[in-house]
Amino acid sequence: MNQTIAIDTETTGRDLRHSSRPFFVTIAYENGDQYYWDWDVDPETRIPQILARDVKEIAKHIRDADTLVLHNTKFDYAALLAADRGLVEYWDWDKVEDTLIASHILSSNTSHNLTDLTLKYLNIDILPHEKELQECCNEARRIVRSKYPDWRIAKEDDPELPSATGKLWANDMWLPKALAKHARYRSDHVYWTVLENYSNADSGATLALNTVFQRMLKERKLTAIYKTRLKVLRIGWLMEHHGITGSMDKLNQQTIEYGQESVNAATVCTTIASSLGCTLTLPKSGNNKSLGEFIFSPSGLNLPAVKKSKKTGAPSLDKECLDLYENMLPRRSKSLTFIRALKAKRKRDVAISYMESYKRFAIQIPGYDGYFRLHPSLNPTGTDTLRWSSSNPNEQNISKKEGFNLRYCFGPLPGREWYSIDAQNIELRLPSYESGEEEMIALFERPNDPPYFGSNHLLVSHILHKEKFEQCINEDGIVDGRIFKKKYASTLYQWVKNGNFAVTYGAMAESGTADRAYHIQGGQAMVEARFTKIKALNDKCIRHAQKYGYIETMPDKTVDPDRGYPLLCTRTEYGKIKPTVPLNYHIQGTAMWWTMKAMIRVQEQMDKWNKECGEERYRIALQVHDELVLDFPRSKVSPVEEAKTGGRKGNLWRGRKCQELMPLGGDDIGVPTPTSCEYHDDNWREGVTL
């Protein structure tokens, strides 16, 4: 008989790679039996006193179970491992069911919080247990602050609890019982059992949810898709566990550089304001009254309001508005110079805030002076599509955008080297091939042919600016789009580039989502008239989403040839599907399914190499959208030298092997998806294209 158990842990914080550890483990059985292990926490060190006999008992439950059910498996596994390696001695990832993964498949754009899921699917409200625990924790914290100042309760400035912000009580769930024991509260005091009631309710709810979810997945014929998605759990945990490495010297250097650039941009803004007789006080971030008055008042720049805040009704100065101003304002005008400087300042300020968060979570690496490691929390269900989110800190914001490239701070440790592999134009390829848009497909099939050289932006530039485009003749007398791109980099070409993706995903001129200058040119109508098959695909996606409420990714024939991953689409207050959503979700979701299959295949290859050498030497360091970064031990032969001499003297052949595996995801969905590969021996920003 199959024996299924649900496992849940409670910890002294979220930062398991810093100081946090589990102090409570609960296991629920289908017959109603529940077992729990509650460990005393030293109030001055926050270290749980884990008992060896408990470790053996928990490990035996895990070993004997046929199925392990968890809600956010990666976290609980990491917690058990952080407590004692013996707790996961018999862990088998193939036995795992995850209610977080299942809930996203069943309802992608709704809450995946265990409390909300229990109420929605089981009609059981476990929120009172959480509220009671919160009240007890906050009360206990107040008592401890006044009576036991030496006790180490959670604080926002604790370097060993970098995630401790907001709900600090959630880091001190051990505190009520510790206080009750220390102060010898009466045996029936709520502090003795409040955590037990809360945690045991969670494990019981997780088990019951799994029963409901497995039935629903089967009824909706989603089991095969769910089983495939489960494979990312171990991969995600490995990525979290090994983390991302970087140089503290480079991080400090880039922080100083961006700080100075922010000051320079601010000086440009205040100087322009002063030249118009205005005193401008810039905010540290966002907007303030001084900035708004200067931009919109007749005595200042006197710009028109292109959008207003829904909350306050005041003119907006968000990124979209600044982009619109940049395209609308006259060249060489004070207004344009001001807007560009304001954008530059904001970019630098945001980048600095990101880098400060990296420093807060950084762990110095023993034996590697000046190097650090980050262990972000990765969430494959953190968005409405299949795009991953991450936190503590957010690795998805390690951007390579112009003027905002934070990748210089990250790279391989001494003795290691990185290979980054990413898909080439996958979110343009998918709709082109799926719709059968011949002219777009030709771009991808002949990337070296003039005048477009594989560039969708140049093709659209030719459509919108035919006369100026055809004046761009190279020395061989041939029209060359690259000349157009260079000549009109900040005007015509930039406008086309800004509007291209929005129109591809069904943006409308009146929606405000596409670039206004693009629409002033009549761009959308001209592009839709030229690419009728992509427009038809977009219309088909909208009709499907309007009828069923969701859109699916392209089917993966190796998993389910008849259907893809369902993604619920946002509706307006009037019940209509937002027209910009369906094709966007369909394409972005498919691209991320492709990335998931790439991760699975590459990790399987890594497992083989690691088994051969007897240790985990080959790793996926991180995944950002459709790019994977691979961390290998440094070889004696550089990939450039290896490419010249051939053979397998270095790691180039391993990088090439992974590069060959990733495009197989394109075969799964019927679209060619080539990849590019770069080698990084020092940092992620600087590399050699292979």
Side-chain angles (χ1 to χ4, degrees), residues 257-273 280 282-283 291 334 336-349:
E257 289 176 357
Y258 277 21
Q260 186 58 56
E261 290 172 6
S262 173
V263 170
N264 295 343
T267 300
V268 172
C269 291
T270 54
T271 300
I272 291 174
L280 174 64
L282 288 169
L291 179 61
K334 284 187 176 181
L336 178 60
T337 302
F338 182 92
I339 292 298
R340 285 179 170 171
L342 181 60
K343 286 182 64 177
K345 180 182 183 304
R346 284 186 176 179
K347 283 184 177 180
R348 301 311 185 273
D349 291 345

PDB file of all heavy atoms in Angstrom, residues 257-273 280 282-283 291 334 336-349:
ATOM      1  N   GLU A 257      31.159  53.984  -9.144  1.00  0.00           N
ATOM      2  CA  GLU A 257      30.999  54.537 -10.493  1.00  0.00           C
ATOM      3  C   GLU A 257      29.560  54.987 -10.731  1.00  0.00           C
ATOM      4  O   GLU A 257      29.320  56.096 -11.228  1.00  0.00           O
ATOM      5  CB  GLU A 257      31.394  53.491 -11.537  1.00  0.00           C
ATOM      6  CG  GLU A 257      32.888  53.207 -11.599  1.00  0.00           C
ATOM      7  CD  GLU A 257      33.218  52.098 -12.576  1.00  0.00           C
ATOM      8  OE1 GLU A 257      32.276  51.509 -13.169  1.00  0.00           O
ATOM      9  OE2 GLU A 257      34.417  51.794 -12.752  1.00  0.00           O
ATOM     10  N   TYR A 258      28.598  54.134 -10.379  1.00  0.00           N
ATOM     11  CA  TYR A 258      27.202  54.491 -10.594  1.00  0.00           C
ATOM     12  C   TYR A 258      26.787  55.644  -9.682  1.00  0.00           C
ATOM     13  O   TYR A 258      25.949  56.478 -10.044  1.00  0.00           O
ATOM     14  CB  TYR A 258      26.303  53.274 -10.361  1.00  0.00           C
ATOM     15  CG  TYR A 258      26.198  52.359 -11.564  1.00  0.00           C
ATOM     16  CD1 TYR A 258      27.153  52.376 -12.568  1.00  0.00           C
ATOM     17  CD2 TYR A 258      25.134  51.468 -11.698  1.00  0.00           C
ATOM     18  CE1 TYR A 258      27.062  51.549 -13.655  1.00  0.00           C
ATOM     19  CE2 TYR A 258      25.025  50.632 -12.799  1.00  0.00           C
ATOM     20  CZ  TYR A 258      25.993  50.670 -13.777  1.00  0.00           C
ATOM     21  OH  TYR A 258      25.896  49.848 -14.871  1.00  0.00           O
ATOM     22  N   GLY A 259      27.372  55.693  -8.473  1.00  0.00           N
ATOM     23  CA  GLY A 259      27.071  56.800  -7.580  1.00  0.00           C
ATOM     24  C   GLY A 259      27.512  58.127  -8.169  1.00  0.00           C
ATOM     25  O   GLY A 259      26.779  59.122  -8.115  1.00  0.00           O
ATOM     26  N   GLN A 260      28.719  58.154  -8.749  1.00  0.00           N
ATOM     27  CA  GLN A 260      29.217  59.385  -9.362  1.00  0.00           C
ATOM     28  C   GLN A 260      28.393  59.748 -10.592  1.00  0.00           C
ATOM     29  O   GLN A 260      28.083  60.934 -10.819  1.00  0.00           O
ATOM     30  CB  GLN A 260      30.690  59.218  -9.747  1.00  0.00           C
ATOM     31  CG  GLN A 260      31.339  60.500 -10.267  1.00  0.00           C
ATOM     32  CD  GLN A 260      31.262  61.633  -9.267  1.00  0.00           C
ATOM     33  OE1 GLN A 260      31.706  61.497  -8.124  1.00  0.00           O
ATOM     34  NE2 GLN A 260      30.673  62.750  -9.670  1.00  0.00           N
ATOM     35  N   GLU A 261      28.025  58.748 -11.380  1.00  0.00           N
ATOM     36  CA  GLU A 261      27.206  59.019 -12.566  1.00  0.00           C
ATOM     37  C   GLU A 261      25.834  59.553 -12.169  1.00  0.00           C
ATOM     38  O   GLU A 261      25.261  60.404 -12.859  1.00  0.00           O
ATOM     39  CB  GLU A 261      27.076  57.745 -13.404  1.00  0.00           C
ATOM     40  CG  GLU A 261      28.376  57.347 -14.087  1.00  0.00           C
ATOM     41  CD  GLU A 261      28.295  55.986 -14.765  1.00  0.00           C
ATOM     42  OE1 GLU A 261      27.188  55.404 -14.797  1.00  0.00           O
ATOM     43  OE2 GLU A 261      29.332  55.499 -15.255  1.00  0.00           O
ATOM     44  N   SER A 262      25.290  59.074 -11.056  1.00  0.00           N
ATOM     45  CA  SER A 262      24.017  59.587 -10.563  1.00  0.00           C
ATOM     46  C   SER A 262      24.149  61.053 -10.166  1.00  0.00           C
ATOM     47  O   SER A 262      23.279  61.877 -10.477  1.00  0.00           O
ATOM     48  CB  SER A 262      23.541  58.755  -9.368  1.00  0.00           C
ATOM     49  OG  SER A 262      22.385  59.322  -8.776  1.00  0.00           O
ATOM     50  N   VAL A 263      25.247  61.367  -9.481  1.00  0.00           N
ATOM     51  CA  VAL A 263      25.492  62.762  -9.087  1.00  0.00           C
ATOM     52  C   VAL A 263      25.629  63.648 -10.321  1.00  0.00           C
ATOM     53  O   VAL A 263      25.071  64.761 -10.378  1.00  0.00           O
ATOM     54  CB  VAL A 263      26.768  62.853  -8.217  1.00  0.00           C
ATOM     55  CG1 VAL A 263      27.174  64.311  -8.002  1.00  0.00           C
ATOM     56  CG2 VAL A 263      26.540  62.168  -6.878  1.00  0.00           C
ATOM     57  N   ASN A 264      26.349  63.172 -11.331  1.00  0.00           N
ATOM     58  CA  ASN A 264      26.538  63.956 -12.557  1.00  0.00           C
ATOM     59  C   ASN A 264      25.205  64.210 -13.257  1.00  0.00           C
ATOM     60  O   ASN A 264      24.944  65.325 -13.731  1.00  0.00           O
ATOM     61  CB  ASN A 264      27.491  63.240 -13.502  1.00  0.00           C
ATOM     62  CG  ASN A 264      28.904  63.128 -12.948  1.00  0.00           C
ATOM     63  OD1 ASN A 264      29.269  63.842 -12.010  1.00  0.00           O
ATOM     64  ND2 ASN A 264      29.695  62.231 -13.506  1.00  0.00           N
ATOM     65  N   ALA A 265      24.373  63.178 -13.322  1.00  0.00           N
ATOM     66  CA  ALA A 265      23.066  63.336 -13.968  1.00  0.00           C
ATOM     67  C   ALA A 265      22.192  64.299 -13.178  1.00  0.00           C
ATOM     68  O   ALA A 265      21.462  65.120 -13.766  1.00  0.00           O
ATOM     69  CB  ALA A 265      22.390  61.975 -14.095  1.00  0.00           C
ATOM     70  N   ALA A 266      22.259  64.216 -11.860  1.00  0.00           N
ATOM     71  CA  ALA A 266      21.478  65.127 -11.023  1.00  0.00           C
ATOM     72  C   ALA A 266      21.935  66.570 -11.229  1.00  0.00           C
ATOM     73  O   ALA A 266      21.109  67.505 -11.245  1.00  0.00           O
ATOM     74  CB  ALA A 266      21.615  64.737  -9.560  1.00  0.00           C
ATOM     75  N   THR A 267      23.240  66.757 -11.392  1.00  0.00           N
ATOM     76  CA  THR A 267      23.775  68.101 -11.621  1.00  0.00           C
ATOM     77  C   THR A 267      23.247  68.685 -12.919  1.00  0.00           C
ATOM     78  O   THR A 267      22.914  69.884 -12.990  1.00  0.00           O
ATOM     79  CB  THR A 267      25.318  68.063 -11.648  1.00  0.00           C
ATOM     80  OG1 THR A 267      25.798  67.570 -10.398  1.00  0.00           O
ATOM     81  CG2 THR A 267      25.896  69.449 -11.902  1.00  0.00           C
ATOM     82  N   VAL A 268      23.157  67.859 -13.960  1.00  0.00           N
ATOM     83  CA  VAL A 268      22.583  68.316 -15.227  1.00  0.00           C
ATOM     84  C   VAL A 268      21.150  68.797 -15.010  1.00  0.00           C
ATOM     85  O   VAL A 268      20.741  69.860 -15.495  1.00  0.00           O
ATOM     86  CB  VAL A 268      22.625  67.191 -16.281  1.00  0.00           C
ATOM     87  CG1 VAL A 268      21.843  67.599 -17.532  1.00  0.00           C
ATOM     88  CG2 VAL A 268      24.058  66.847 -16.641  1.00  0.00           C
ATOM     89  N   CYS A 269      20.370  68.020 -14.250  1.00  0.00           N
ATOM     90  CA  CYS A 269      18.972  68.376 -14.003  1.00  0.00           C
ATOM     91  C   CYS A 269      18.856  69.695 -13.241  1.00  0.00           C
ATOM     92  O   CYS A 269      18.075  70.582 -13.614  1.00  0.00           O
ATOM     93  CB  CYS A 269      18.277  67.265 -13.218  1.00  0.00           C
ATOM     94  SG  CYS A 269      18.038  65.730 -14.137  1.00  0.00           S
ATOM     95  N   THR A 270      19.610  69.837 -12.159  1.00  0.00           N
ATOM     96  CA  THR A 270      19.507  71.050 -11.347  1.00  0.00           C
ATOM     97  C   THR A 270      20.060  72.270 -12.076  1.00  0.00           C
ATOM     98  O   THR A 270      19.573  73.393 -11.895  1.00  0.00           O
ATOM     99  CB  THR A 270      20.244  70.868 -10.014  1.00  0.00           C
ATOM    100  OG1 THR A 270      21.601  70.465 -10.250  1.00  0.00           O
ATOM    101  CG2 THR A 270      19.554  69.811  -9.154  1.00  0.00           C
ATOM    102  N   THR A 271      21.066  72.064 -12.937  1.00  0.00           N
ATOM    103  CA  THR A 271      21.622  73.171 -13.712  1.00  0.00           C
ATOM    104  C   THR A 271      20.606  73.691 -14.720  1.00  0.00           C
ATOM    105  O   THR A 271      20.447  74.911 -14.898  1.00  0.00           O
ATOM    106  CB  THR A 271      22.908  72.736 -14.436  1.00  0.00           C
ATOM    107  OG1 THR A 271      23.879  72.307 -13.474  1.00  0.00           O
ATOM    108  CG2 THR A 271      23.486  73.872 -15.261  1.00  0.00           C
ATOM    109  N   ILE A 272      19.902  72.777 -15.380  1.00  0.00           N
ATOM    110  CA  ILE A 272      18.867  73.187 -16.334  1.00  0.00           C
ATOM    111  C   ILE A 272      17.762  73.933 -15.606  1.00  0.00           C
ATOM    112  O   ILE A 272      17.264  74.971 -16.076  1.00  0.00           O
ATOM    113  CB  ILE A 272      18.314  71.966 -17.081  1.00  0.00           C
ATOM    114  CG1 ILE A 272      19.369  71.396 -18.033  1.00  0.00           C
ATOM    115  CG2 ILE A 272      17.040  72.323 -17.850  1.00  0.00           C
ATOM    116  CD1 ILE A 272      18.965  70.106 -18.713  1.00  0.00           C
ATOM    117  N   ALA A 273      17.362  73.425 -14.454  1.00  0.00           N
ATOM    118  CA  ALA A 273      16.319  74.097 -13.674  1.00  0.00           C
ATOM    119  C   ALA A 273      16.771  75.498 -13.275  1.00  0.00           C
ATOM    120  O   ALA A 273      16.008  76.470 -13.367  1.00  0.00           O
ATOM    121  CB  ALA A 273      15.979  73.268 -12.441  1.00  0.00           C
ATOM    122  N   LEU A 280      15.451  73.379  -7.950  1.00  0.00           N
ATOM    123  CA  LEU A 280      14.947  72.002  -8.017  1.00  0.00           C
ATOM    124  C   LEU A 280      15.597  71.142  -6.946  1.00  0.00           C
ATOM    125  O   LEU A 280      16.819  71.105  -6.822  1.00  0.00           O
ATOM    126  CB  LEU A 280      15.239  71.409  -9.401  1.00  0.00           C
ATOM    127  CG  LEU A 280      14.905  69.924  -9.607  1.00  0.00           C
ATOM    128  CD1 LEU A 280      13.413  69.684  -9.465  1.00  0.00           C
ATOM    129  CD2 LEU A 280      15.394  69.444 -10.970  1.00  0.00           C
ATOM    130  N   LEU A 282      15.770  67.293  -6.122  1.00  0.00           N
ATOM    131  CA  LEU A 282      15.448  65.973  -6.657  1.00  0.00           C
ATOM    132  C   LEU A 282      15.212  64.976  -5.523  1.00  0.00           C
ATOM    133  O   LEU A 282      15.901  65.019  -4.497  1.00  0.00           O
ATOM    134  CB  LEU A 282      16.587  65.466  -7.541  1.00  0.00           C
ATOM    135  CG  LEU A 282      16.748  66.161  -8.896  1.00  0.00           C
ATOM    136  CD1 LEU A 282      18.060  65.742  -9.541  1.00  0.00           C
ATOM    137  CD2 LEU A 282      15.580  65.827  -9.817  1.00  0.00           C
ATOM    138  N   PRO A 283      14.270  64.075  -5.705  1.00  0.00           N
ATOM    139  CA  PRO A 283      14.034  63.039  -4.686  1.00  0.00           C
ATOM    140  C   PRO A 283      15.116  61.973  -4.751  1.00  0.00           C
ATOM    141  O   PRO A 283      15.798  61.817  -5.772  1.00  0.00           O
ATOM    142  CB  PRO A 283      12.677  62.461  -5.093  1.00  0.00           C
ATOM    143  CG  PRO A 283      12.637  62.633  -6.585  1.00  0.00           C
ATOM    144  CD  PRO A 283      13.352  63.932  -6.855  1.00  0.00           C
ATOM    145  N   LEU A 291      10.014  68.218  -8.173  1.00  0.00           N
ATOM    146  CA  LEU A 291      10.239  67.690  -9.523  1.00  0.00           C
ATOM    147  C   LEU A 291       8.986  67.843 -10.376  1.00  0.00           C
ATOM    148  O   LEU A 291       9.054  68.273 -11.532  1.00  0.00           O
ATOM    149  CB  LEU A 291      10.646  66.221  -9.445  1.00  0.00           C
ATOM    150  CG  LEU A 291      10.893  65.502 -10.776  1.00  0.00           C
ATOM    151  CD1 LEU A 291      12.037  66.154 -11.542  1.00  0.00           C
ATOM    152  CD2 LEU A 291      11.199  64.019 -10.544  1.00  0.00           C
ATOM    153  N   LYS A 334      16.435  71.767 -24.105  1.00  0.00           N
ATOM    154  CA  LYS A 334      16.704  71.613 -22.678  1.00  0.00           C
ATOM    155  C   LYS A 334      15.796  70.547 -22.069  1.00  0.00           C
ATOM    156  O   LYS A 334      16.211  69.794 -21.177  1.00  0.00           O
ATOM    157  CB  LYS A 334      16.494  72.945 -21.958  1.00  0.00           C
ATOM    158  CG  LYS A 334      17.601  73.957 -22.157  1.00  0.00           C
ATOM    159  CD  LYS A 334      17.387  75.181 -21.273  1.00  0.00           C
ATOM    160  CE  LYS A 334      18.558  76.148 -21.405  1.00  0.00           C
ATOM    161  NZ  LYS A 334      18.393  77.351 -20.543  1.00  0.00           N
ATOM    162  N   LEU A 336      14.576  67.847 -23.479  1.00  0.00           N
ATOM    163  CA  LEU A 336      15.050  66.499 -23.797  1.00  0.00           C
ATOM    164  C   LEU A 336      16.297  66.169 -22.977  1.00  0.00           C
ATOM    165  O   LEU A 336      16.430  65.055 -22.448  1.00  0.00           O
ATOM    166  CB  LEU A 336      15.359  66.385 -25.287  1.00  0.00           C
ATOM    167  CG  LEU A 336      15.905  65.024 -25.746  1.00  0.00           C
ATOM    168  CD1 LEU A 336      14.906  63.910 -25.445  1.00  0.00           C
ATOM    169  CD2 LEU A 336      16.240  65.041 -27.241  1.00  0.00           C
ATOM    170  N   THR A 337      17.209  67.109 -22.858  1.00  0.00           N
ATOM    171  CA  THR A 337      18.418  66.881 -22.061  1.00  0.00           C
ATOM    172  C   THR A 337      18.057  66.574 -20.613  1.00  0.00           C
ATOM    173  O   THR A 337      18.638  65.682 -19.980  1.00  0.00           O
ATOM    174  CB  THR A 337      19.335  68.112 -22.121  1.00  0.00           C
ATOM    175  OG1 THR A 337      19.679  68.386 -23.483  1.00  0.00           O
ATOM    176  CG2 THR A 337      20.614  67.879 -21.326  1.00  0.00           C
ATOM    177  N   PHE A 338      17.081  67.304 -20.087  1.00  0.00           N
ATOM    178  CA  PHE A 338      16.648  67.082 -18.705  1.00  0.00           C
ATOM    179  C   PHE A 338      16.056  65.682 -18.538  1.00  0.00           C
ATOM    180  O   PHE A 338      16.402  64.961 -17.588  1.00  0.00           O
ATOM    181  CB  PHE A 338      15.607  68.131 -18.304  1.00  0.00           C
ATOM    182  CG  PHE A 338      15.142  68.001 -16.886  1.00  0.00           C
ATOM    183  CD1 PHE A 338      15.770  68.705 -15.874  1.00  0.00           C
ATOM    184  CD2 PHE A 338      14.087  67.163 -16.552  1.00  0.00           C
ATOM    185  CE1 PHE A 338      15.357  68.575 -14.555  1.00  0.00           C
ATOM    186  CE2 PHE A 338      13.669  67.019 -15.237  1.00  0.00           C
ATOM    187  CZ  PHE A 338      14.308  67.726 -14.237  1.00  0.00           C
ATOM    188  N   ILE A 339      15.157  65.304 -19.431  1.00  0.00           N
ATOM    189  CA  ILE A 339      14.499  63.990 -19.326  1.00  0.00           C
ATOM    190  C   ILE A 339      15.528  62.875 -19.414  1.00  0.00           C
ATOM    191  O   ILE A 339      15.476  61.897 -18.645  1.00  0.00           O
ATOM    192  CB  ILE A 339      13.432  63.832 -20.420  1.00  0.00           C
ATOM    193  CG1 ILE A 339      12.263  64.780 -20.173  1.00  0.00           C
ATOM    194  CG2 ILE A 339      12.939  62.387 -20.498  1.00  0.00           C
ATOM    195  CD1 ILE A 339      11.517  64.552 -18.872  1.00  0.00           C
ATOM    196  N   ARG A 340      16.483  62.996 -20.315  1.00  0.00           N
ATOM    197  CA  ARG A 340      17.513  61.960 -20.442  1.00  0.00           C
ATOM    198  C   ARG A 340      18.380  61.887 -19.188  1.00  0.00           C
ATOM    199  O   ARG A 340      18.750  60.790 -18.745  1.00  0.00           O
ATOM    200  CB  ARG A 340      18.367  62.223 -21.677  1.00  0.00           C
ATOM    201  CG  ARG A 340      17.660  61.871 -22.983  1.00  0.00           C
ATOM    202  CD  ARG A 340      18.525  62.158 -24.193  1.00  0.00           C
ATOM    203  NE  ARG A 340      17.920  61.600 -25.397  1.00  0.00           N
ATOM    204  CZ  ARG A 340      18.352  61.833 -26.634  1.00  0.00           C
ATOM    205  NH1 ARG A 340      19.403  62.628 -26.829  1.00  0.00           N
ATOM    206  NH2 ARG A 340      17.758  61.282 -27.674  1.00  0.00           N
ATOM    207  N   ALA A 341      18.696  63.026 -18.618  1.00  0.00           N
ATOM    208  CA  ALA A 341      19.495  63.026 -17.392  1.00  0.00           C
ATOM    209  C   ALA A 341      18.703  62.429 -16.233  1.00  0.00           C
ATOM    210  O   ALA A 341      19.252  61.685 -15.414  1.00  0.00           O
ATOM    211  CB  ALA A 341      19.927  64.453 -17.059  1.00  0.00           C
ATOM    212  N   LEU A 342      17.406  62.740 -16.165  1.00  0.00           N
ATOM    213  CA  LEU A 342      16.568  62.175 -15.106  1.00  0.00           C
ATOM    214  C   LEU A 342      16.482  60.654 -15.244  1.00  0.00           C
ATOM    215  O   LEU A 342      16.562  59.925 -14.241  1.00  0.00           O
ATOM    216  CB  LEU A 342      15.171  62.796 -15.155  1.00  0.00           C
ATOM    217  CG  LEU A 342      14.177  62.315 -14.090  1.00  0.00           C
ATOM    218  CD1 LEU A 342      14.697  62.607 -12.688  1.00  0.00           C
ATOM    219  CD2 LEU A 342      12.807  62.961 -14.308  1.00  0.00           C
ATOM    220  N   LYS A 343      16.324  60.173 -16.485  1.00  0.00           N
ATOM    221  CA  LYS A 343      16.299  58.730 -16.714  1.00  0.00           C
ATOM    222  C   LYS A 343      17.626  58.094 -16.297  1.00  0.00           C
ATOM    223  O   LYS A 343      17.643  57.036 -15.666  1.00  0.00           O
ATOM    224  CB  LYS A 343      16.027  58.425 -18.199  1.00  0.00           C
ATOM    225  CG  LYS A 343      14.593  58.649 -18.646  1.00  0.00           C
ATOM    226  CD  LYS A 343      14.415  58.285 -20.113  1.00  0.00           C
ATOM    227  CE  LYS A 343      14.666  56.814 -20.372  1.00  0.00           C
ATOM    228  NZ  LYS A 343      14.421  56.443 -21.781  1.00  0.00           N
ATOM    229  N   ALA A 344      18.728  58.743 -16.650  1.00  0.00           N
ATOM    230  CA  ALA A 344      20.045  58.199 -16.305  1.00  0.00           C
ATOM    231  C   ALA A 344      20.220  58.136 -14.793  1.00  0.00           C
ATOM    232  O   ALA A 344      20.735  57.150 -14.255  1.00  0.00           O
ATOM    233  CB  ALA A 344      21.142  59.055 -16.932  1.00  0.00           C
ATOM    234  N   LYS A 345      19.799  59.187 -14.095  1.00  0.00           N
ATOM    235  CA  LYS A 345      19.911  59.196 -12.635  1.00  0.00           C
ATOM    236  C   LYS A 345      19.089  58.072 -12.029  1.00  0.00           C
ATOM    237  O   LYS A 345      19.549  57.359 -11.132  1.00  0.00           O
ATOM    238  CB  LYS A 345      19.455  60.539 -12.072  1.00  0.00           C
ATOM    239  CG  LYS A 345      19.547  60.609 -10.541  1.00  0.00           C
ATOM    240  CD  LYS A 345      19.046  61.917  -9.995  1.00  0.00           C
ATOM    241  CE  LYS A 345      19.232  61.981  -8.478  1.00  0.00           C
ATOM    242  NZ  LYS A 345      18.582  60.862  -7.762  1.00  0.00           N
ATOM    243  N   ARG A 346      17.869  57.915 -12.484  1.00  0.00           N
ATOM    244  CA  ARG A 346      17.007  56.861 -11.944  1.00  0.00           C
ATOM    245  C   ARG A 346      17.613  55.484 -12.171  1.00  0.00           C
ATOM    246  O   ARG A 346      17.580  54.621 -11.287  1.00  0.00           O
ATOM    247  CB  ARG A 346      15.614  56.942 -12.576  1.00  0.00           C
ATOM    248  CG  ARG A 346      14.759  58.063 -12.029  1.00  0.00           C
ATOM    249  CD  ARG A 346      13.357  57.975 -12.590  1.00  0.00           C
ATOM    250  NE  ARG A 346      12.475  58.972 -12.009  1.00  0.00           N
ATOM    251  CZ  ARG A 346      11.194  59.101 -12.361  1.00  0.00           C
ATOM    252  NH1 ARG A 346      10.661  58.309 -13.272  1.00  0.00           N
ATOM    253  NH2 ARG A 346      10.450  60.028 -11.781  1.00  0.00           N
ATOM    254  N   LYS A 347      18.140  55.256 -13.363  1.00  0.00           N
ATOM    255  CA  LYS A 347      18.744  53.957 -13.655  1.00  0.00           C
ATOM    256  C   LYS A 347      19.902  53.675 -12.698  1.00  0.00           C
ATOM    257  O   LYS A 347      20.026  52.572 -12.160  1.00  0.00           O
ATOM    258  CB  LYS A 347      19.242  53.907 -15.100  1.00  0.00           C
ATOM    259  CG  LYS A 347      18.164  53.702 -16.138  1.00  0.00           C
ATOM    260  CD  LYS A 347      18.771  53.558 -17.517  1.00  0.00           C
ATOM    261  CE  LYS A 347      17.708  53.266 -18.566  1.00  0.00           C
ATOM    262  NZ  LYS A 347      18.305  53.113 -19.925  1.00  0.00           N
ATOM    263  N   ARG A 348      20.748  54.679 -12.508  1.00  0.00           N
ATOM    264  CA  ARG A 348      21.898  54.476 -11.622  1.00  0.00           C
ATOM    265  C   ARG A 348      21.444  54.265 -10.181  1.00  0.00           C
ATOM    266  O   ARG A 348      21.992  53.416  -9.471  1.00  0.00           O
ATOM    267  CB  ARG A 348      22.845  55.682 -11.682  1.00  0.00           C
ATOM    268  CG  ARG A 348      23.415  55.997 -13.050  1.00  0.00           C
ATOM    269  CD  ARG A 348      24.009  54.784 -13.755  1.00  0.00           C
ATOM    270  NE  ARG A 348      24.652  55.139 -14.999  1.00  0.00           N
ATOM    271  CZ  ARG A 348      24.052  55.229 -16.184  1.00  0.00           C
ATOM    272  NH1 ARG A 348      22.745  54.991 -16.275  1.00  0.00           N
ATOM    273  NH2 ARG A 348      24.718  55.533 -17.273  1.00  0.00           N
ATOM    274  N   ASP A 349      20.437  55.025  -9.751  1.00  0.00           N
ATOM    275  CA  ASP A 349      19.960  54.894  -8.376  1.00  0.00           C
ATOM    276  C   ASP A 349      19.356  53.517  -8.130  1.00  0.00           C
ATOM    277  O   ASP A 349      19.562  52.912  -7.072  1.00  0.00           O
ATOM    278  CB  ASP A 349      18.930  55.984  -8.061  1.00  0.00           C
ATOM    279  CG  ASP A 349      19.556  57.368  -7.995  1.00  0.00           C
ATOM    280  OD1 ASP A 349      20.793  57.454  -7.904  1.00  0.00           O
ATOM    281  OD2 ASP A 349      18.800  58.362  -8.048  1.00  0.00           O
TER     282      ASP A 349
END
